Amino acid sequence: MQISSVNDVKIYNLSHGKSLPEWLSDRKKRALQKKDVDIQRRIELIQDFEMPTVCTSIKVSRDGQFILAAGTYKPRIRCYDTYQLSLKFERCLDSDVVAFDILSDDYSKLVFLHCNRYVEFHSQHGHYYKTRIPKFGRDFAYHYPSCDLYFVGASSEIFRLNLEQGRFLNSLQTDAVEHNVCDINPVHQLLASGTAEGKVECWDPRVRSRVGMLDCALSSVTEGAEVEGLPSVSALKFNGSLTMAVGTSTGQVLLYDLRSSHPLLVKDHYYGLPIKSVNFQDHLDLVLTADSKIIKIWNKDTGKVFSSIEPQTNINDVCIYPGSGMLFTANEDPKMNTFYIPALGPAPRWCSFLDNLTEELEESPESTVYDDYKFVTRKDLENLGLSHLVGSSLLRAYMHGFFMDIRLYHKVKTMANPFAYDEYRKDKIRQKIEESRAQRVQIKKLPKVNKGLALKLMEEGDDEGELSARKKKGKALPSILSDERFQVMFENPDYQVEEQSEEFRLLNPIVSKVGQKRRKKLRLLAKQAIDSEKTEPDQEEEEPEGRGSSDESSDDDKSWVDEVREQRRLIYEEGRDRRRQERKQQDRNTTLLDQDSTQNQAQGRKPGQQPRFFQIKAGEEFRSFGDVSRKQKLQKASLEERLKLEERSGTVNVADTAVGSKQLTFTLKKSEQQQRQQQAERDHHEERKKLRRSAGHLSIHTWLALLSPALALLKWEEVLCNSPRPPP
């Protein structure tokens, strides 16, 4: 719920707050309500009080129990039951609804005027009957005594459809070209129709003749108002037997007494937007008028503003709940707004708890911001020389500053800066001079980054400007140079286009031909910027006679293909040369800078001799200078010498086999797990060696005593082996 205050009138927006999606489960909804403070504070007065996309019109039944709203997309009508605070039913329609009305006290009899000239009747169970009117309709009104429906629209006639007889009656012929709105006085049943020419025609349904006409277009023009066109009547509403309010397409509301042709009061919204809705509040003699931006509430006798409501989205229709201070709005938004103004009346009985809620909120008032006050900080007060007013009744402390009366602020501002008008006048003169200078011949200034691209864009912009000037129809598109989104591309050096890169050369094969001409023009513009001399623009060369555009395009295609092939060949050669140079550089880095460096290193440097540094290839381990020289000799040796050297070292074994005479022996590198296992075994053996007891302290007799059983056993085995075997 959102609370606002305009002219000390509290306005409660009951629809303000976050809305939960329908596809969320009840468990997730409860979890969100516990966590999110905004969801906890929101008030869902009527469940699912919204449309899928847009709500076009909204009405309340005469018994006050049902609220009906028409919207899109898809076209549909929704009925809400206020006693249950929920949606009662929803019916989809074939086309968009222009206007609808409730003929009965509840929702049992409904009439819909569609945008395709169809008139659809609904009963309590649903669709009942459909018919069609001759012209496109814009509004209709129901005459209860005769059961006639009066339709107005894009025609000079007012069509009559009698619901008792079920047929069309003779239409009313008017002097207008088109009609926008119509209404019937509930007291004496006078029919009024608002025309596109800004007139209101009044008809008596009993005799079917016109009884009067009002010219509202001339009366709506006030002193100092700027009129761009003829105002047409966009809204019409009766109040009682003599009062009628007329809303125009230019944002004025005229209040008439039917006994006079001049308006009693003219109220201007000052937005220049058509008036969408007009409603009366009889209890306080107030008028509620709404355009697509704001709802204004003002006194019908004096025209003094009572309050105003400005929703976040555009307004399509406004409906007041009878006998209360609640009103509903149909917006260009899925959610339909509900506003409650306690100053207009009490809350309806089906939501009487709102009165208790607003009373509790009024007990703890919050600081409000008013339109006639100016917020200033302490630094602003020092600049204006009003620091001595801190603590007085002229300043009201709020947050990090103060509120002061706007009239006092303007008066002090004028006294503190008496030359403000002179500065304003100088600024205006400077702007006029700059506008006149813009018509002169200007020097083109190129940015520091991407000068070639900027020049190309300038040339294309000039070509587009000449083309649009010749056609005299379309407007030239804005240039990238003047677009703030691409401004960094011409200021940051990181966005510099690399014309020598491989991608650029392949994607832009014609850049070599255009480059010379562009560089020439760059030099010309640079000289022009230095000397500040005016140069004549280059004239475009005309197409030579005797040569068609098709021949030129075919030649361009051939040159494009040749250029691509040439660029590919050049890129390949440059890459090959670059790789060759890299290999040579690597070999050169691995060579010794001096052949006698090893001797000098072994003998030591002389005093004052600078140390020499050597670079090793990436991935190689430095062992000694002799190893480096040995590798260099090995690289220069032939294949036969390398094989012999490897055979002597044992790396290569030569053997004659069926598949060849060369064999290569190698050892597999052990894994980390195997290395850890071998290291653990070695550690275990070392530990056992430390724990083994020495036998050096034993004497010879002890050794003989220990070995005597073993010697006796060996002697006995020898005797058995030498003894003769018995005969078999």
Side-chain angles (χ1 to χ4, degrees):
M1 183 173 63
Q2 185 183 29
I3 306 173
S4 60
S5 177
V6 181
N7 291 343
D8 293 334
V9 177
K10 289 291 185 65
I11 302 172
Y12 298 89
N13 187 358
L14 305 179
S15 303
H16 183 77
K18 296 182 179 179
S19 58
L20 297 176
E22 298 178 356
W23 43 267
L24 280 181
S25 61
D26 295 338
R27 184 177 181 181
K28 290 185 178 180
K29 288 182 180 180
R30 289 194 298 269
L32 285 175
Q33 290 176 356
K34 293 179 181 179
K35 296 179 182 179
D36 201 329
V37 180
D38 295 335
I39 297 178
Q40 293 177 1
R41 292 179 178 177
R42 72 187 181 101
I43 296 177
E44 192 174 8
L45 191 62
I46 300 176
Q47 189 178 5
D48 299 331
F49 195 62
E50 58 185 12
M51 280 287 172
T53 307
V54 173
C55 181
T56 57
S57 55
I58 186 170
K59 291 183 182 295
V60 179
S61 61
R62 286 197 292 270
D63 59 1
Q65 183 179 354
F66 303 101
I67 303 172
L68 287 96
T72 191
Y73 175 83
K74 299 179 179 180
R76 67 191 66 205
I77 182 75
R78 285 186 173 181
C79 179
Y80 298 90
D81 191 347
T82 57
Y83 292 172
Q84 302 296 329
L85 299 178
S86 61
L87 179 66
K88 186 173 183 62
F89 66 84
E90 178 184 13
R91 298 172 186 172
C92 290
L93 306 172
D94 296 334
S95 58
D96 292 333
V97 176
V98 177
F100 79 96
D101 198 3
I102 307 171
L103 304 184
S104 60
D105 293 339
D106 53 3
Y107 66 92
S108 58
K109 294 179 182 179
L110 304 174
V111 183
F112 299 97
L113 176 61
H114 293 277
C115 61
N116 55 357
R117 294 193 291 149
Y118 274 100
V119 180
E120 190 172 352
F121 298 89
H122 280 222
S123 61
Q124 192 169 6
H125 64 82
H127 172 75
Y128 181 76
Y129 184 72
K130 181 188 288 187
T131 185
R132 200 172 190 182
I133 59 177
K135 299 291 183 178
F136 288 97
R138 295 175 182 174
D139 196 9
F140 69 94
Y142 181 64
H143 187 246
Y144 283 92
S146 61
C147 298
D148 287 344
L149 276 174
Y150 291 88
F151 296 95
V152 297
S155 174
S156 61
E157 299 179 272
I158 300 177
F159 304 104
R160 292 194 302 153
L161 176 62
N162 188 272
L163 301 185
E164 184 179 7
Q165 302 177 20
R167 65 187 183 93
F168 282 96
L169 303 178
N170 292 331
S171 58
L172 303 178
Q173 187 65 40
T174 65
D175 297 336
V177 179
E178 293 180 350
H179 295 265
N180 293 330
V181 291
C182 65
D183 192 24
I184 295 178
N185 193 296
V187 179
H188 47 70
Q189 307 300 321
L190 182 68
L191 172 65
S193 173
T195 66
E197 292 83 6
K199 298 180 180 180
V200 176
E201 296 188 3
C202 298
W203 294 75
D204 189 355
R206 298 172 297 179
V207 296
R208 295 183 298 278
S209 62
R210 188 174 65 189
V211 295
M213 185 172 62
L214 292 173
D215 191 354
C216 303
L218 296 177
S219 301
S220 63
V221 179
T222 58
E223 295 181 0
E226 296 182 359
V227 180
E228 297 180 357
L230 184 64
S232 60
V233 179
S234 59
L236 191 64
K237 188 70 174 180
F238 280 104
N239 181 38
S241 58
L242 298 176
T243 307
M244 180 181 65
V246 179
T248 63
S249 59
T250 54
Q252 291 86 20
V253 180
L254 293 83
L255 209 60
Y256 280 95
D257 190 323
L258 295 180
R259 296 169 295 184
S260 174
S261 60
H262 298 283
L264 300 175
L265 185 67
V266 178
K267 186 69 177 176
D268 197 344
H269 274 215
Y270 295 106
Y271 283 104
L273 301 174
I275 302 297
K276 294 291 187 73
S277 174
V278 178
N279 293 277
F280 288 91
Q281 213 276 349
D282 297 331
H283 180 63
L284 298 176
D285 292 335
L286 298 176
V287 184
L288 286 83
T289 56
D291 55 19
S292 59
K293 188 176 181 62
I294 193 172
I295 304 172
K296 286 195 174 183
I297 308 173
W298 44 280
N299 190 283
K300 69 177 183 179
D301 296 328
T302 61
K304 185 179 179 181
V305 175
F306 179 77
S307 183
S308 62
I309 304 172
E310 191 170 356
Q312 297 179 354
T313 56
N314 291 340
I315 304 170
N316 290 329
D317 193 14
V318 178
C319 175
I320 301 178
Y321 194 88
S324 71
M326 181 174 290
L327 56 94
F328 307 99
T329 61
N331 315 302
E332 290 287 329
D333 192 67
K335 186 180 292 186
M336 294 178 284
N337 290 336
T338 304
F339 296 97
Y340 175 52
I341 306 175
L344 293 182
R349 63 178 183 177
W350 49 271
C351 57
S352 56
F353 60 89
L354 289 177
D355 291 331
N356 299 330
L357 181 63
T358 54
E359 288 177 1
E360 292 177 2
L361 292 175
E362 288 178 358
E363 291 178 358
S364 57
E366 298 180 357
S367 57
T368 55
V369 180
Y370 301 98
D371 295 334
D372 53 351
Y373 278 82
K374 173 70 175 178
F375 179 80
V376 291
T377 60
R378 191 176 292 272
K379 186 177 181 180
D380 296 336
L381 291 176
E382 293 177 358
N383 295 334
L384 295 174
L386 299 178
S387 302
H388 61 282
L389 295 181
V390 177
S392 63
S393 59
L394 297 176
L395 296 179
R396 180 182 178 184
Y398 181 76
M399 294 179 66
H400 63 283
F402 305 90
F403 275 114
M404 64 183 302
D405 194 289
I406 191 66
R407 296 170 294 178
L408 176 62
Y409 175 79
H410 288 316
K411 187 178 294 186
V412 175
K413 186 74 174 176
T414 306
M415 296 174 62
N417 190 7
F419 302 102
Y421 176 74
D422 296 338
E423 295 176 359
Y424 170 77
R425 186 170 175 271
K426 290 180 181 179
D427 293 338
K428 283 295 182 181
I429 294 173
R430 190 182 302 110
Q431 292 178 4
K432 291 290 184 181
I433 293 174
E434 291 177 356
E435 291 178 359
S436 62
R437 285 177 179 175
Q439 300 175 358
R440 302 177 184 176
V441 179
Q442 297 181 354
I443 299 174
K444 297 181 180 179
K445 294 183 180 180
L446 294 175
K448 298 180 180 180
V449 183
N450 291 327
K451 293 184 178 180
L453 179 60
L455 181 59
K456 181 181 177 182
L457 294 174
M458 288 180 182
E459 293 175 355
E460 294 177 354
D462 295 341
D463 297 339
E464 290 178 0
E466 293 178 2
L467 184 62
S468 61
R470 290 177 183 177
K471 293 183 177 180
K472 297 183 180 180
K473 291 182 180 179
K475 295 182 179 179
L477 296 175
S479 176
I480 297 179
L481 295 172
S482 60
D483 198 336
E484 297 180 355
R485 298 174 296 175
F486 304 97
Q487 191 174 2
V488 186
M489 190 171 64
F490 301 100
E491 296 177 355
N492 194 347
D494 296 337
Y495 291 90
Q496 179 66 42
V497 177
E498 298 179 359
E499 298 184 358
Q500 299 300 326
S501 62
E502 181 179 349
E503 294 82 2
F504 183 85
R505 292 168 63 181
L506 290 178
L507 294 177
N508 299 272
I510 313 177
V511 70
S512 59
K513 296 182 180 180
V514 187
Q516 297 179 358
K517 183 179 178 181
R518 190 174 300 166
R519 284 192 293 270
K520 182 179 178 181
K521 196 164 187 178
L522 276 173
R523 290 193 296 268
L524 184 62
L525 289 175
K527 184 179 179 181
Q528 182 183 8
I530 294 173
D531 301 335
S532 299
E533 295 178 358
K534 299 180 181 180
T535 58
E536 296 180 358
D538 298 337
Q539 297 181 354
E540 298 181 356
E541 298 181 358
E542 297 181 356
E543 186 177 2
E545 298 180 358
R547 186 176 182 182
S549 60
S550 60
D551 299 337
E552 186 178 357
S553 62
S554 62
D555 294 342
D556 292 341
D557 295 340
K558 291 179 181 179
S559 62
W560 182 83
V561 174
D562 296 339
E563 185 69 21
V564 169
R565 290 176 180 173
E566 181 67 20
Q567 290 295 334
R568 288 186 181 276
R569 186 183 65 79
L570 293 175
I571 290 171
Y572 175 75
E573 292 180 357
E574 291 176 1
R576 184 180 59 186
D577 296 340
R578 186 170 55 256
R579 290 191 296 270
R580 186 180 301 169
Q581 292 293 334
E582 289 177 357
R583 287 197 298 268
K584 288 182 179 180
Q585 184 67 23
Q586 291 178 359
D587 296 342
R588 190 180 298 110
N589 291 336
T590 55
T591 59
L592 299 175
L593 298 178
D594 194 359
Q595 296 179 358
D596 300 335
S597 60
T598 54
Q599 297 178 2
N600 295 337
Q601 188 176 5
Q603 297 175 2
R605 292 194 308 271
K606 296 180 181 180
Q609 184 180 359
Q610 296 295 331
R612 298 180 179 180
F613 299 94
F614 306 95
Q615 187 174 0
I616 307 173
K617 289 184 180 181
E620 293 187 359
E621 182 180 359
F622 176 75
R623 297 176 182 175
S624 64
F625 291 101
D627 193 8
V628 175
S629 60
R630 194 181 307 111
K631 282 187 177 181
Q632 293 177 358
K633 293 179 181 179
L634 186 60
Q635 290 178 357
K636 296 179 180 180
S638 62
L639 180 60
E640 183 181 1
E641 294 176 355
R642 292 183 185 180
L643 291 175
K644 289 181 181 180
L645 182 61
E646 291 177 356
E647 186 177 355
R648 286 196 301 269
S649 62
T651 307
V652 177
N653 293 332
V654 180
D656 293 332
T657 59
V659 296
S661 60
K662 301 296 179 183
Q663 289 184 355
L664 181 67
T665 58
F666 57 90
T667 57
L668 295 175
K669 184 179 180 181
K670 295 181 180 180
S671 62
E672 295 181 359
Q673 184 177 3
Q674 293 177 351
Q675 293 178 1
R676 288 196 300 269
Q677 186 175 359
Q678 291 180 0
Q679 184 65 28
E681 291 179 357
R682 286 195 294 269
D683 296 342
H684 177 69
H685 288 310
E686 293 294 334
E687 185 180 1
R688 296 303 301 172
K689 286 181 182 180
K690 293 179 181 179
L691 296 177
R692 189 178 62 183
R693 292 175 294 179
S694 176
H697 63 281
L698 298 178
S699 62
I700 188 62
H701 299 288
T702 308
W703 278 105
L704 291 175
L706 292 173
L707 295 175
S708 58
L711 294 174
L713 181 59
L714 292 174
K715 190 175 182 180
W716 177 250
E717 288 181 355
E718 184 179 358
V719 170
L720 290 178
C721 291
N722 296 330
S723 62
R725 295 181 180 179

